[in-house]
């Protein structure tokens, strides 16, 4: 049998069994003595279970779509507070937020509101839709677009265009993340693309399974961050959720170790982290992965939600993220942070689920996504052929600077921010632009002022908003 067939058999068995609560409870006991501040996960679980009926009743009384998530988030800090002297997982890098309000981006944000044609601050894209893994949670697998590498000149022109567009000189694209809908390391020009982008003054980043990264000093130095997608901390579970064999598990770990070694031995500023997409049936992998990241000396491990399309094709149970067991598990994982290693859950997105706080999408002109097929669409929800009305152009056929300057680009962008489009019903859950949308919608539609930010402090990864 092929790896895909074996993985599907074991996945079905894991789905049938559901969340392995007994294993998680044992893990609570095993890690209690090494948590960064003293608390009992079992006692916290009991407190949350006791408090949950009153929390749900209060949410029903308030009656707003986001009441439950807001109350849960505030109660979690009360039930298991972090002492002031304990390591703060978000002290150096906050992975559950947006930097759109920072003063460095304020002029561009205000130019957009004035109606000027701005360049995106961040572009999230892929250099292919190919991938040698078969991850259970892969959103790109719902889209089935064909892609093959273009000539180098196509990618070179794209990066050149990123630096020349904008409402004013020097106001081009500031950050490019190679994530989107494919494994960019599969493209033979991956390394050239990263190094050329960096030479043009663009911050470069990658999200990768790591197998074909081939890290070396020049490449790792060129990244603002390198994030490895590794959604389990134990070999057999990794093989299931990622749809691979022992060879890929070993290869991915070797790539992570080598990247971290290069960073540390050369004292590089590059951030190297691990990411878990948390499906409920793999909840028993949260603590093993948090411990693995600590052992590997990564900078962080982030635990995030799984995005799904508007039809629920992946069958994600968003209600599970709000259960007492899930809440305790994530709190326990974060308490495995130490001074030079952070474990973070994307709490706000997990709690949001399908309940967006905004009914217009203003985020895409600030944070654009492009497919590994070279399709330029406003966001990853719309790469598939069923959403061709949102396909603005293809940068393998025409220059991106011309696509960006076209009326169609701004018509599509404008449509998403109009009363004719409602992201609460018409696109995928928990999109990349979600946090940006919350802030900008509140500012434009509800008059919520933008926060003042410290001009003396520039957050890490400032150009990845």
């Amino acid at each position: 049998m092929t790896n895909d067939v074996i993985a599907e058999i074991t996945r079905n068995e894991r789905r049938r069994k559901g969340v392995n609560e007994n294993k998680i409870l044992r893990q609570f006991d095993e890690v209690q003595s090494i948590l960064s501040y003293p608390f009992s996960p079992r006692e916290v679980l009991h407190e949350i279970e006791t408090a949950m009926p009153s929390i749900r009743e209060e949410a029903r009384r308030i009656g707003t779509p986001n009441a439950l998530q807001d109350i849960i988030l505030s109660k979690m800090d009360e039930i298991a507070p972090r002492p002031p002297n304990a390591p703060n997982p978000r002290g150096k890098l906050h992975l559950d937020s947006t930097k759109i309000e920072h003063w460095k981006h304020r002029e561009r944000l205000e130019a957009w509101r004035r109606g000027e044609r701005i360049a995106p601050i961040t572009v999230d894209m892929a250099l292919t839709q190919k991938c040698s893994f078969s991850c259970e949670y892969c959103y790109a697998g719902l889209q089935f677009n064909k892609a093959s590498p273009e000539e180098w000149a196509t990618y070179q022109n794209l990066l050149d265009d990123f630096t020349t567009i904008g409402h004013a000189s020097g106001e081009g694209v500031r950050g490019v993340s190679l994530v989107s809908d494919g494994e960019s390391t599969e493209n033979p020009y991956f390394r050239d693309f990263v190094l050329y982008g960096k030479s043009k003054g663009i911050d470069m980043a990658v999200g990768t399974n790591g197998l074909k990264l081939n890290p070396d000093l020049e490449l790792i130095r060129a990244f603002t961050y390198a994030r490895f997608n590794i959604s389990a901390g134990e070999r057999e579970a990794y093989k299931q959720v990622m749809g691979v064999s022992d060879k890929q598990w070993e290869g991915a770990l070797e790539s992570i170790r080598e990247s971290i070694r290069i960073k540390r031995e050369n004292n590089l500023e590059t951030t190297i982290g691990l990411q878990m997409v948390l499906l409920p049936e793999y909840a028993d992998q949260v603590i093993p992965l948090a411990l693995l990241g600590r052992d590997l000396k990564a900078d962080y491990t982030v635990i995030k939600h799984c995005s799904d399309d508007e039809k629920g094709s992946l069958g994600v149970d968003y209600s599970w993220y709000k259960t007492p067991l899930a809440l305790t598990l994530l709190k326990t994982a974060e308490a495995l942070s130490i001074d030079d290693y952070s474990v973070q859950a994307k709490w706000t997105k997990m709690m949001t689920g399908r309940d967006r706080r905004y009914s217009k999408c203003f985020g895409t002109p600030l944070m654009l996504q492009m497919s590994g097929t070279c399709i330029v669409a406003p966001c990853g929800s719309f790469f598939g052929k069923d959403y061709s009305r949102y396909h603005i152009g293809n940068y393998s056929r025409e220059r991106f600077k011309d696509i960006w300057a076209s009326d169609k680009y701004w018509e599509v962008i404008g449509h998403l921010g109009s009363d004719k489009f409602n992201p609460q019903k018409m696109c995928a859950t928990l999109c990349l632009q979600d946090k940006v949308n919350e802030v900008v919608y509140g500012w434009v539609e509800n008059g919520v002022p933008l926060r003042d930010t410290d001009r003396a402090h520039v957050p890490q990864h400032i150009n990845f908003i």
Side-chain angles (χ1 to χ4, degrees):
M1 289 188 289
T2 64
N3 289 335
D4 287 352
V5 173
I6 294 171
E8 191 57 32
I9 291 171
T10 55
R11 285 171 179 175
N12 288 336
E13 180 65 11
R14 186 177 275 269
R15 290 190 202 105
R16 186 184 65 78
K17 291 180 178 178
V19 177
N20 191 337
E21 183 170 351
N22 289 332
K23 183 176 179 180
I24 293 171
L25 292 175
R26 290 196 301 271
Q27 291 169 346
F28 286 167
D29 297 336
E30 290 165 2
V31 301
Q32 184 172 339
S33 64
I34 60 169
L35 298 179
S36 60
Y37 53 96
F39 72 90
S40 166
R42 284 183 182 260
E43 290 179 8
V44 169
L45 175 60
H46 176 70
E47 287 188 57
I48 297 173
E49 288 174 336
T50 303
M52 193 57 74
S54 62
I55 289 173
R56 293 189 180 279
E57 178 56 36
E58 184 179 352
R60 279 193 292 270
R61 188 169 62 253
I62 295 172
T64 59
N66 305 105
L68 181 60
Q69 71 188 65
D70 291 340
I71 297 169
I72 286 175
L73 290 172
S74 65
K75 290 291 184 184
M76 286 304 298
D77 290 333
E78 294 176 16
I79 292 172
R82 180 182 57 82
N85 61 341
N88 179 4
R90 294 169 179 80
K92 297 177 182 177
L93 179 64
H94 197 325
L95 298 169
D96 189 23
S97 64
T98 175
K99 307 172 193 73
I100 190 61
E101 293 175 280
H102 195 269
W103 64 266
K104 184 176 180 181
H105 303 314
R106 189 64 58 90
E107 199 281 327
R108 190 169 310 191
L109 190 55
E110 291 174 345
W112 166 78
R113 193 169 185 183
R114 293 193 299 268
E116 297 184 48
R117 293 188 171 188
I118 62 164
I121 297 168
T122 307
V123 170
D124 177 70
M125 60 176 292
L127 298 177
T128 180
Q129 242 212 358
K130 286 179 61 179
C131 184
S132 54
F133 283 42
S134 182
C135 300
E136 187 168 352
Y137 50 78
C138 183
Y139 190 91
L142 301 175
Q143 297 170 325
F144 307 111
N145 292 325
K146 292 182 180 180
S148 59
E150 297 298 320
E151 296 297 321
W152 166 242
T154 298
Y155 301 120
Q156 190 173 31
N157 288 340
L158 178 67
L159 291 166
D160 288 342
D161 290 349
F162 283 170
T163 63
T164 58
I165 62 172
H167 68 289
S169 177
E171 290 291 336
V173 174
R174 293 175 174 167
V176 172
S177 57
L178 292 170
V179 186
S180 193
D181 61 341
E183 176 56 51
S184 288
T185 61
E186 298 268 359
N187 187 301
Y189 297 117
F190 168 76
R191 178 188 174 84
D192 297 322
F193 189 90
V194 172
L195 297 181
Y196 187 71
K198 184 69 173 177
S199 76
K200 299 289 289 185
I202 302 171
D203 286 354
M204 304 298 292
V206 67
T208 176
N209 59 45
L211 190 66
K212 297 183 179 180
L213 181 62
N214 299 319
D216 60 37
L217 176 58
E218 188 178 26
L219 183 63
I220 297 302
R221 180 188 281 131
F223 291 129
T224 298
Y225 71 81
R227 188 184 68 225
F228 291 88
N229 303 319
I230 175 172
S231 289
E234 296 173 327
R235 179 189 296 258
E236 292 305 315
Y238 176 89
K239 288 159 57 179
Q240 289 173 14
V241 71
M242 309 291 276
V244 295
S245 67
D246 289 303
K247 180 180 178 180
Q248 282 87 358
W249 161 257
E250 292 160 3
L253 284 183
E254 178 56 31
S255 184
I256 295 168
R257 289 191 187 99
E258 180 63 7
S259 298
I260 293 171
R261 183 195 67 77
I262 292 168
K263 173 209 162 99
R264 290 184 172 267
E265 287 186 0
N266 294 279
N267 197 28
L268 302 181
E269 295 183 357
T270 305
T271 305
I272 298 179
L274 311 182
Q275 175 175 277
M276 177 184 197
V277 177
L278 176 56
L279 295 172
E281 60 265 33
Y282 291 90
D284 58 49
Q285 293 303 300
V286 169
I287 288 176
L289 184 59
L291 291 171
L292 177 62
R294 190 157 124 167
D295 290 343
L296 291 170
K297 295 182 168 48
D299 292 308
Y300 70 83
T301 293
V302 63
I303 304 148
K304 70 181 287 284
H305 55 283
C306 180
S307 295
D308 203 352
D309 65 14
E310 67 272 29
K311 302 171 187 174
S313 300
L314 293 175
V316 183
D317 179 10
Y318 289 108
S319 66
W320 180 82
Y321 294 132
K322 300 183 180 76
T323 63
L325 182 64
L327 298 171
T328 306
L329 176 61
L330 296 173
K331 196 74 176 181
T332 302
E334 290 198 335
L336 289 167
S337 300
I338 52 180
D339 287 337
D340 59 353
Y341 171 64
S342 168
V343 182
Q344 298 186 38
K346 288 200 170 184
W347 288 100
T348 60
K349 282 200 168 185
M350 288 187 186
M351 296 303 103
T352 297
R354 294 186 177 276
D355 299 322
R356 279 185 165 92
R357 296 176 182 267
Y358 48 90
S359 56
K360 295 179 182 177
C361 175
F362 293 133
T364 56
L366 300 156
M367 191 176 194
L368 185 71
Q369 287 184 275
M370 304 193 323
S371 171
T373 63
C374 302
I375 289 173
V376 178
C379 72
S381 298
F382 301 138
F383 289 161
K385 62 182 180 180
D386 291 343
Y387 303 97
S388 58
R389 64 171 295 192
Y390 300 113
H391 294 179
I392 304 167
N394 187 308
Y395 70 81
S396 71
R397 301 171 189 159
E398 56 186 316
R399 291 288 292 260
F400 177 75
K401 63 183 180 181
D402 296 326
I403 296 172
W404 173 83
S406 69
D407 289 340
K408 184 173 183 180
Y409 182 97
W410 295 101
E411 285 167 3
V412 171
I413 294 290
H415 173 76
L416 299 185
S418 73
D419 292 331
K420 297 178 181 178
F421 182 84
N422 186 349
Q424 293 171 334
K425 300 176 181 178
M426 300 171 69
C427 56
T429 62
L430 302 173
C431 64
L432 190 67
Q433 296 86 353
D434 186 66
K435 303 306 294 181
V436 173
N437 270 321
E438 286 186 0
V439 169
V440 179
Y441 181 88
W443 178 49
V444 172
E445 295 291 305
N446 298 328
V448 179
L450 300 173
R451 289 183 301 114
D452 289 329
T453 58
D454 183 1
R455 285 182 171 266
H457 173 66
V458 178
Q460 291 187 53
H461 310 175
I462 181 63
N463 292 324
F464 299 93
I465 58 172

